[in-house]
Amino acid sequence: MSSPLKIDFVSDISCPWCAIGLSALEQALGRLQNEVAAELHFQPFELNPQMPAGGQDIGEHLTQKYGSTPEQQAQIRDTIRQRGAEVGFSFNPAGRGRIYNTFDAHRLLHWAGLETPSQQAALKKALLVACHTQGQNMESHEVLLAAVAQAGLDVARARAILASDEFAPEVREREAFYTSQGIHSVPAVIINDRHLISGGQPVTVFEQALRQIAAQRA
């Protein structure tokens, strides 16, 4: 009998390691499909909640935030591309020109989780591809609505949400909750509200951790 696992995947669209972590987690769950029954929920986290409209040049942003040089940034991009390739996620070889505010994307993900939870993962993955594979403007409503359409969700409903402040308080409450629980970097994968796996781990790390947690519940 499969062990039920509730998995909260706390992450941001603009985080490349979140794309890697999600792909690795899904592969691990595929390996464990006869051992665990996972219920996956996507929770909001903003790496740059104060990012203004129009975004910021990515190199400038990384230098300001982390003090990294262009050479160091290029090396990290290479590492990210290699790790992505290992789990089947393609990063744009040229990287991203700009980084954008992701709050509206989180509002749409919250809506999807409430109204069509079975399609929330499809929206999350469409948004990650738009950001990291295609290098799109992730504050653009048209880009967000294209991801909604790709995920098979109601585009008219999503457009109405984006034209309002709907779900903004709920997203801020969720963000504040996870920050208050000590989550300050992502991805953060929380199993059954008790166990934390941090970072974009390899498939084998997720597989071993999930198997151990499932065994404890058996």
Side-chain angles (χ1 to χ4, degrees):
M1 184 174 171
S2 298
S3 296
L5 293 182
K6 174 177 176 276
I7 303 176
D8 288 296
F9 191 89
V10 186
S11 62
D12 193 7
I13 298 300
S14 66
C15 164
W17 290 104
C18 295
I20 292 168
L22 178 57
S23 295
L25 174 63
E26 289 191 324
Q27 288 189 23
L29 289 171
R31 295 180 182 181
L32 297 170
Q33 59 184 335
N34 296 322
E35 299 174 51
V36 303
E39 186 180 280
L40 184 57
H41 305 273
F42 293 94
Q43 305 292 356
F45 185 97
E46 288 182 89
L47 290 170
N48 306 289
Q50 307 306 319
M51 183 63 66
Q56 185 182 18
D57 176 82
I58 187 75
E60 176 186 278
H61 173 76
L62 294 172
T63 298
Q64 284 183 359
K65 189 169 185 177
Y66 303 109
S68 57
T69 65
E71 293 76 18
Q72 289 170 329
Q73 292 166 22
Q75 186 175 20
I76 292 168
R77 277 198 303 273
D78 285 340
T79 299
I80 286 170
R81 275 198 300 273
Q82 291 169 15
R83 287 290 307 280
E86 290 170 5
V87 291
F89 189 92
S90 298
F91 286 92
N92 189 323
R96 291 176 288 161
R98 300 185 72 77
I99 190 166
Y100 297 96
N101 188 287
T102 57
F103 189 71
D104 280 342
H106 286 301
R107 290 200 294 135
L108 292 177
L109 283 163
H110 185 85
W111 157 66
L114 286 176
E115 296 190 15
T116 49
S118 63
Q119 289 165 277
Q120 191 190 31
L123 178 58
K124 179 72 169 183
K125 288 187 278 190
L127 290 166
L128 288 170
V129 167
C131 182
H132 298 287
T133 306
Q134 301 169 350
Q136 302 258 31
N137 175 350
M138 298 313 296
E139 71 180 17
S140 163
H141 286 185
E142 291 312 308
V143 170
L144 298 178
L145 291 172
V148 167
Q150 186 178 338
L153 295 162
D154 186 338
V155 174
R157 176 77 176 97
R159 183 176 279 111
I161 292 167
L162 292 174
S164 71
D165 288 328
E166 194 171 1
F167 302 121
E170 291 88 341
V171 170
R172 291 194 177 98
E173 184 276 327
R174 288 280 83 195
E175 290 179 335
F177 170 77
Y178 286 105
T179 300
S180 74
Q181 297 300 301
I183 303 299
H184 299 293
S185 63
V186 288
V189 184
I190 303 168
I191 317 297
N192 293 336
D193 300 316
R194 293 183 57 199
H195 308 276
L196 173 65
I197 308 170
S198 297
Q201 300 292 341
V203 177
T204 53
V205 172
F206 280 120
E207 182 184 1
Q208 291 168 3
L210 293 171
R211 182 172 281 122
Q212 290 174 1
I213 293 167
Q216 292 171 15
R217 292 177 58 84

